[in-house]
C-alpha cells in the first residue's frame, strides 16, 4: 500500500498481520523486554519489514534499536521510517545519497476521536477539511490529515533535530492523493538547513489510510536529537 505513494529509489516492505517467526537481535530483545505481547509482536514485525527493505538496498540484517522516545536508529548511509497500526506494519528505507529524509505513517480509516481534530489542525486546515468532507464524503479527511502530520514529523525531525508540533505544519490535502506542507518552525541557528515546505502523497482503502513524505537529497542533514513520536 505505502509503496504506491513513495518514489522510485525507496525500498518498502509491509505486512498486514504479525509474523510469528519475526526474529529480534539480543539488543532488540533487551529494548522490548518489558513490553506487553502485542507491542512485542508489532515491534518485531515492523523490524522484519525494515530488514526486508534494507536487503533490497544490499544491506545485511542489523539491530534497529529505538532511540529517544522510540524512533528507530538506522544504519549509516540510510534514511528510513517505520509505521504500525491495527492490521498493518511497514518500513521504508533509502540511501542517504538519494533522499535526505523519509516519513511514513498508517492509521485505521475511521474518524478521529472527538476533539482530536480541534487539537491538531490549524484554522486553514479546518476550512479545507469542511470543503473536502462535503466534496468527497467517503474519506475520513480528519484521519488523513492526522496521518500526513505524523509522516511529516517523521521526515522533519531526523533532518533538523528539532521538535515539530501539530500546529507548526499546515497541510493542504488534495483529492488526487497529494498534499503540500508549509512548516511554521525555523531553526534557531541560521547556519542550519530547515526545510520549510514538503510535498507528500496519501492513499486510503476501506480499512487503512497511509501517508508518505520523501525529501530528495538536496542539502546536508543536521544532527538528530530527542524525538516526539515512537515508530508508529
Amino acid at each position: 500500500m505505502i509503496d504506491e505513494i513513495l518514489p522510485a529509489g525507496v525500498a518498502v516492505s509491509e505486512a498486514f498481520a504479525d509474523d510469528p517467526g519475526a526474529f529480534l537481535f539480543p539488543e532488540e530483545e533487551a529494548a522490548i523486554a518489558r513490553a506487553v505481547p502485542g507491542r512485542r509482536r508489532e515491534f518485531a514485525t515492523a523490524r522484519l519489514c525494515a530488514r526486508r527493505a534494507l536487503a533490497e538496498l544490499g544491506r545485511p540484517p542489523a539491530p534497529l534499536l529505538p532511540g529517544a522516545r522510540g524512533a528507530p536508529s538506522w544504519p549509516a548511509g540510510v534514511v528510513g521510517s517505520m509505521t504500525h497500526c491495527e492490521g498493518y506494519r511497514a518500513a521504508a528505507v533509502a540511501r542517504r545519497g538519494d533522499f535526505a529524509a523519509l516519513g511514513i505513517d498508517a492509521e485505521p480509516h475511521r474518524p478521529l476521536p472527538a476533539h482530536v481534530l480541534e487539537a491538531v489542525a490549524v484554522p486553514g486546515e479546518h476550512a479545507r477539511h469542511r470543503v473536502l468532507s462535503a466534496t468527497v464524503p467517503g474519506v475520513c479527511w480528519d484521519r488523513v490529515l492526522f496521518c500526513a502530520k505524523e509522516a511529516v514529523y517523521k521526515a522533519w525531525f531526523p533532518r533538523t533535530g528539532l521538535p515539530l508540533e501539530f500546529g507548526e505544519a499546515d497541510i493542504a490535502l488534495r483529492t488526487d492523493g497529494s498534499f503540500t506542507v508549509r512548516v511554521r518552525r525555523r531553526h534557531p541557528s541560521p547556519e542550519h538547513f530547515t526545510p520549510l515546505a514538503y510535498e507528500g502523497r496519501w492513499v486510503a482503502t476501506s480499512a487503512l489510510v497511509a501517508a508518505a513524505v520523501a525529501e530528495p537529497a538536496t542539502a546536508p542533514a543536521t544532527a538528530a536529537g530527542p524525538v516526539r513520536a515512537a515508530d508508529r
Side-chain angles (χ1 to χ4, degrees), residues 23-31 43 47 50-51 54 60-66 72-76 82:
F23 78 95
L24 292 174
F25 284 89
E27 302 96 318
E28 294 169 329
E29 292 275 9
F43 181 96
R47 276 153 180 77
R51 284 189 258 277
L54 286 167
L64 302 171
L65 298 177
S73 300
W74 297 99
M82 296 185 205

Side-chain angles (χ1 to χ4, degrees), residues 46-65:
R47 276 153 180 77
L48 174 63
C49 290
R51 284 189 258 277
R52 287 173 174 169
L54 286 167
E56 293 187 31
L57 301 183
R59 295 299 189 106
L64 302 171
L65 298 177

